[in-house]
Amino acid sequence: MIGAEVTFDVALPKIVWGWLVSTNMWAKSIATGTFLLGIYFIKKYPEQDNFFRKWLPILGLIFIGITLLVTVLDLHHIFRFWKIFFHPHFTSAVTLGAWVVSAFVIVLLISFWSWATGNKKLLDRVMIPGFILAFFSTIYTAGIMGEATAREVWVFPSEMISMLLSAMLAGSAAYLIIDALYGNILQEKVRRELGYILFGSAGLSAAMFIGELFFAKMHSEFSYEVVKVLAFGEVAPFFWIGIVFAFIIPMMLVGIANEYRRYRYAWIASIFALIGLWLIKHAWLIAPQTLPLS
Amino acid sequence: MRLGFLVDLSRCMGCMACAVACKAENNVPLHSWRLRVKYIDQGEFPDVKRHFVPLRCNHCDNAPCERICPVSALHYLPNGIVNVDHERCIGCASCMMACPYNAIYIDPITNSADKCTYCAHRIEVGLMPACVVACPTHANIFGDLDDPESEISKYIKNHRDVMVRKPELNTHPKHFYVRGSTVALDPLASERPEGYTIFTEVKFLEHIGGH
């Protein structure tokens, strides 16, 4: 006897977590990345801190707002979202994430108030808790993906590292874009450092993805099939365009920008990086969902 | 008490009585299934074989759906059943992403996660699950895994080929199969051709029951 094929099965939804979840992760990378990098640059370059004290809360609130909006929109019971606070189940990374992000929103609001009133001490007081909350806001989704055991390629801690790198990539790209939009108001050394962070995080992220794709040991048939879907299957266009947009082009352009002091290339690199980041997150999210589990 | 299921695949004839009984008992809407029977054809004419595999929630001892649910909508009953609280569910679908057996769906009417509960409401009043009662060949064997005298315990003891689905994930399912095969239990072991097959279109539905 040769071959076997399924001749009858009952349809179940294929993609359960779609573009809303991809957007959640993408926007959260920007919100947390701008906070983490903002704190770093405020500390390192206090003479330039006005830029970061202004844009850290503004970008943070806009993008964490998008994150929360798409998260609630993705619920099938939108108006029951409050139950996560009143009936929490603390073994779930979803619950932990909801609490951490809510606390992070409070820190962002304080940061905004600090900038609006010119009371710098206010932000200084919440820097450390804010840094911790931004860090955990970035990685909690990796915890969720790690708990989603049906999709074996979403593995903690590699997801966690990937998400931290995404935050660095998105944060540096967002600041470079704002800097360019407002006529290069940052000092050159700050702009260059943002470029290096973008370059480094793109390079390390690319290495992780390519390493996992071509060199990692596949522990199961499922993982092997997911890699095939990503590299050659229906998700491949998202994945490869994402790799090129998020990592390859930004590395080249930022390299040119920093080497030849042509900083408009860094701005273009940042646009590519943010578009590519969404594509790569979307590819990574939906690829394991295309395989049958039953 | 630790309730479990066992399916003797050599007895299953793919009549779908269990699936229909389940839908009727639990008011399962169209396009949704708590229990379904998958058909797999193996071989080339005239040397062919058809496998029937009833699939339902595995009520894992180490249930990923229970762990990931942010509001404890999926929870354990004292008898080991993984039950669903529809009123508590927020519809985040995390359980669907965590369940390696594709046993959970979002009910398009209630918008809440749902799945096989081993007919917990029937168990409570001393009845057997609806699918057990409906099965004409007694392929579905249900009972207390902790009781060595129960039929299911004896079945497990007397058969060497007791299998569970995806044991490598350490979910410790309480749903067993005997006289099964890799082709029957591994979702990647069989092809799933697109388009119409002998019975139906093997195609996933678009996301249902929500946005």
Side-chain angles (χ1 to χ4, degrees), chain A residues 1-17 20 73-78 80-85 87-95 143-145 147-152 154 220-222 225 285 289-294, chain B residues 16 33 36-44 47 49 55 64 66-72 86-94 96-100 102 106 110-112 165-166 183 187-188 190-193 197 199-200 203-205 207 209-211:
Chain A
M1 292 220 291
I2 56 162
E5 68 180 51
V6 175
T7 50
F8 180 84
D9 197 3
V10 178
L12 275 175
K14 192 174 183 181
I15 304 297
V16 179
W17 280 352
L20 285 171
L73 285 178
D74 195 47
L75 298 180
H76 288 79
H77 275 298
I78 291 174
R80 287 188 189 173
F81 73 90
W82 54 269
K83 290 195 179 193
I84 210 164
F85 300 107
H87 301 288
H89 187 220
F90 286 111
T91 62
S92 170
V94 183
T95 308
I144 297 173
M145 294 172 96
E147 282 190 328
T149 45
R151 325 290 160 171
E152 291 170 46
W154 298 344
S220 68
E221 186 73 10
F222 190 91
E225 291 295 326
L285 181 77
Q289 298 181 58
T290 60
L291 296 182
L293 297 176
S294 63
Chain B
M16 307 269 185
W33 302 81
R36 57 194 192 276
V37 182
K38 187 171 80 169
Y39 287 14
I40 301 137
D41 289 354
Q42 188 181 21
E44 212 165 62
D47 191 13
K49 186 178 182 181
L55 300 165
E66 188 272 344
R67 195 163 50 251
I68 202 170
C69 178
V71 290
S72 301
H86 305 117
E87 296 305 311
R88 182 163 294 189
C89 175
I90 60 174
C92 66
S94 302
M96 292 179 74
M97 302 305 285
C99 174
N102 225 355
I106 297 286
T110 64
N111 262 343
S112 298
R165 296 179 62 218
K166 304 182 185 175
V183 162
L188 296 177
S190 319
E191 281 183 69
R192 284 169 187 262
T197 66
F199 288 107
T200 188
K203 179 182 163 186
F204 286 92
L205 289 177
H207 200 51
H211 30 264

